[in-house]
Amino acid sequence: MTQRHGPLLLGCAAVLALGGPAVTALAQSHADPAPSETYDLNAPHLAIQPRTAAEASRIAGVTAPTTDFTKAEPFEANSAGAATVRARNNGDAFSIPSGNMPFERELDFKVGDGLFRKLWVSSPSSTLVSDGLGPLYNARSCQNCHLKDGRGRPPEGDEEAVSMFLRISVPAPTDADMSELDAFLLSLGGDDTPRTAPDPVYGGQLQNFAVQGHPAEYRMGITYADKKVHLSGGQTATLTEPTYTADNLGYGPLAPGAMLSPRVAPQMIGLGLLEAIPAADILAQADPDDADGDGISGRAQVVWSFEADRPMLGRFGLKAGAPSIREQSASAFAGDIGISTPIFDAPWGDCTDAQADCQNVVHGTTGTEELTEINAEGLDLVTFYARNLGVPERRDVDDPRVLRGKQVFYDTGCIACHTPKYVTERLDDQPEQSFQLIWPYTDMLLHDMGPGLADNRPEWRANGQEWRTPPLWGIGLTQTVSGHTYFLHDGRARSLLEAVLWHGGEAQAQRDAVVAMDPQDRDDLIAYLESL
């Protein structure tokens, strides 16, 4: 059985100095790597056509930040290039297939959508294609967390958390066996990022539901404390600072030193386009030692791919803990629903050896050819669906307030992390993502966001204060799709302004500039974000 020691469960002791224009040191084979080698950082399924020098030069000109804020840029309304979909003013705005999807591929999208919505049931069951739930789980379907393919939220009142959960890790013993990734990175030079391990009883995340006859692992507890922020122009804002507890523990106390990290389900749009951004373009923005002195020192995430069996560039998840959409989907099946896949094939999901009853019950693999609860074809269809959820077109790109807000966004330095645009790779077998000018507003790198947003839990290269820059496309449709305006990794921000005011660390100067700027500029900035 393939055990889950991946992006959700194991931190890494060493880091790799990935930065500058060179694509360096992620191995096709991790045996005895040499620091001078150059490797492919992209997902193994991508059939990439290399760029010519002339093409690269032309792309650099197209993606350079604008200095003209009197009008919208060419194609700016098409956030996802030809894959952009018409903006709908309803809850289905994030659930439309890529606008350039060939007709003959739409059936795969619809079947993947069905699997994404499927409600899994416990074993044994007469519905063999749908059993295998849990035994411990956070939701019965992917759609339950990513409702309408949008953003999750914290629980309110006495309701159970459904689109939010707590990750858990414990400090790894200093004499513990190193993972293959740890050894690889140490061979290239590392730092003191602490290594972590799953909780010996509760695994890598806490599940608040269980099938009949088994206790759930916990119930999420959240308390909030108000923090008032004084803004220019006599205005104020109130931030709510959360504290999290794991209550009603079903399997005894947490291990000493347990680290809890809250996570809400992120929106699903544009994932295939983010996967198609050239790794070299991401690494070119990394500046781990802040060599240019601008206070921004983004770092590339490095993770172990269990599908490719090698280190890869991390792209997905709030700390970029997964290298590909397919592997991220398999991790979610295992950790969130307890469903096994060809990548993570333990049928008991996140149950540990200390939870013997959980491991020894009847699972949903009985009678299946591949002995997993969803087979490779099913995982491919879910991946295809997630890869092709279309990004809605921009609204109000020519509105004077939006244009002024865009200039404030650029002049304040927000684009130092929220990189506006890229051109994706040429891909032989992915016409929807191939060679598109896209506007996701992310550099895909890890940044120290300060103690205010820290979860104090390392994950692979990311330390306890680092998070991946989230894409901003579609953020203005959150209320329309999800019915709320909760933002950041745990939904603590109740508005876009509050999300900005929580920024610290590398973004402290930008946050302070927003606090001090003219109130009209601040309002225009929010109008710009709402247009994305």
Side-chain angles (χ1 to χ4, degrees):
M1 293 282 180
T2 303
Q3 299 300 310
R4 296 183 67 242
H5 301 295
L8 302 185
L9 303 185
L10 186 64
C12 77
V15 297
L16 184 59
L18 288 174
V23 179
T24 54
L26 284 188
Q28 297 283 10
S29 169
H30 56 272
D32 300 319
S36 61
E37 292 182 86
T38 297
Y39 303 106
D40 177 16
L41 310 187
N42 294 292
H45 73 274
L46 295 179
I48 295 169
Q49 300 178 24
R51 288 179 177 171
T52 65
E55 189 172 71
S57 176
R58 184 161 46 103
I59 288 170
V62 168
T63 57
T66 186
T67 57
D68 180 2
F69 301 99
T70 62
K71 59 184 183 300
E73 296 175 69
F75 313 112
E76 186 174 2
N78 295 330
S79 300
T84 306
V85 299
R86 180 173 58 84
R88 289 162 170 80
N89 191 29
N90 59 47
D92 293 326
F94 288 174
S95 301
I96 311 303
S98 300
N100 56 349
M101 179 177 289
F103 176 77
E104 61 270 17
R105 291 163 70 90
E106 289 185 10
L107 179 59
D108 285 346
F109 181 86
K110 292 175 181 177
V111 176
D113 184 10
L115 291 171
F116 196 80
R117 296 169 183 267
K118 176 202 283 278
L119 290 173
W120 294 85
V121 298
S122 58
S123 300
S125 168
S126 59
T127 56
L128 295 180
V129 295
S130 297
D131 70 348
L133 176 68
L136 303 173
Y137 62 96
N138 295 110
R140 290 181 58 198
S141 76
C142 307
Q143 186 76 203
N144 281 3
C145 289
H146 303 278
L147 184 62
K148 295 286 188 178
D149 304 298
R151 192 182 306 270
R153 62 169 177 82
E156 297 176 341
D158 293 330
E159 69 179 350
E160 284 282 356
V162 174
S163 56
M164 182 178 184
F165 63 84
L166 296 177
R167 292 217 195 286
I168 181 171
S169 297
V170 298
T174 56
D175 60 348
D177 292 338
M178 285 193 296
S179 72
E180 293 170 287
L181 179 61
D182 286 333
F184 173 78
L185 295 179
L186 280 174
S187 74
L188 300 171
D191 69 6
D192 59 353
T193 303
R195 294 175 61 218
T196 63
D199 184 283
V201 173
Y202 289 93
Q205 72 186 59
L206 292 167
Q207 285 86 16
N208 55 331
F209 296 105
V211 301
Q212 187 173 4
H214 295 266
E217 289 189 319
Y218 86 121
R219 181 182 175 91
M220 183 186 295
I222 314 176
T223 57
Y224 294 97
D226 289 347
K227 293 175 54 176
K228 185 165 288 189
V229 179
H230 294 280
L231 309 173
S232 64
Q235 299 178 351
T236 60
T238 301
L239 306 184
T240 56
E241 183 171 19
T243 299
Y244 298 93
T245 55
D247 300 333
N248 301 341
L249 290 167
Y251 297 85
L254 303 179
M259 297 167 274
L260 302 177
S261 179
R263 306 292 175 88
V264 295
Q267 65 185 27
M268 296 287 294
I269 58 173
L271 298 184
L273 295 163
L274 297 177
E275 189 173 55
I277 295 173
D281 290 357
I282 296 172
L283 296 179
Q285 301 174 89
D287 185 15
D289 299 318
D290 192 19
D292 61 8
D294 67 352
I296 307 298
S297 51
R299 302 194 304 149
Q301 175 65 291
V302 183
V303 303
W304 187 263
S305 169
F306 292 89
E307 180 179 21
D309 194 31
R310 61 175 171 87
M312 282 179 56
L313 180 67
R315 294 178 187 250
F316 300 104
L318 292 163
K319 289 191 180 230
S324 68
I325 299 169
R326 192 170 191 267
E327 197 156 326
Q328 173 79 341
S329 299
S331 283
F333 269 121
D336 301 347
I337 314 178
I339 296 298
S340 56
T341 67
I343 299 177
F344 302 118
D345 59 7
W348 49 80
D350 194 35
C351 299
T352 66
D353 291 343
Q355 297 166 319
D357 289 345
C358 179
Q359 289 197 4
N360 292 330
V361 298
V362 176
H363 299 290
T365 55
T366 304
T368 63
E369 182 177 341
E370 298 184 22
L371 296 180
T372 58
E373 290 156 330
I374 187 170
N375 62 17
E377 182 182 11
L379 180 59
D380 287 343
L381 287 165
V382 170
T383 301
F384 184 80
Y385 173 75
R387 182 178 294 138
N388 281 290
L389 284 163
V391 180
E393 63 188 343
R394 287 274 308 279
R395 286 93 48 222
D396 305 319
V397 292
D398 290 313
D399 184 287
R401 287 192 59 202
V402 169
L403 290 170
R404 173 58 187 157
K406 177 181 177 180
Q407 183 172 4
V408 172
F409 186 82
Y410 279 54
D411 290 349
T412 305
C414 302
I415 64 168
C417 298
H418 291 283
T419 304
K421 49 188 169 174
Y422 300 86
V423 172
T424 60
E425 300 276 18
R426 289 190 185 274
L427 302 172
D428 290 337
D429 54 357
Q430 292 180 214
E432 301 86 0
Q433 289 80 44
S434 181
F435 208 59
Q436 300 298 317
L437 172 63
I438 63 172
W439 305 70
Y441 302 92
T442 174
D443 60 7
M444 302 289 284
L445 298 174
L446 299 172
H447 292 277
D448 185 335
M449 297 302 293
L453 287 179
D455 67 347
N456 300 308
R457 174 187 173 272
E459 183 176 329
W460 297 116
R461 288 189 77 197
N463 64 37
Q465 293 191 176
E466 289 180 313
W467 301 93
R468 185 203 66 165
T469 305
L472 297 181
W473 51 14
I475 199 167
L477 290 170
T478 300
Q479 174 71 59
T480 299
V481 173
S482 302
H484 65 77
T485 55
Y486 296 126
F487 301 104
L488 301 178
H489 66 279
D490 57 358
R492 68 177 66 188
R494 297 163 297 180
S495 68
L496 289 172
L497 177 59
E498 287 187 22
V500 172
L501 296 177
W502 272 110
H503 284 49
E506 295 175 41
Q508 185 70 43
Q510 287 72 28
R511 177 265 185 199
D512 292 346
V514 172
V515 169
M517 68 178 48
D518 182 274
Q520 186 60 60
D521 285 347
R522 194 161 50 236
D523 290 345
D524 292 346
L525 172 65
I526 299 304
Y528 170 65
L529 294 175
E530 289 175 343
S531 79
L532 297 180

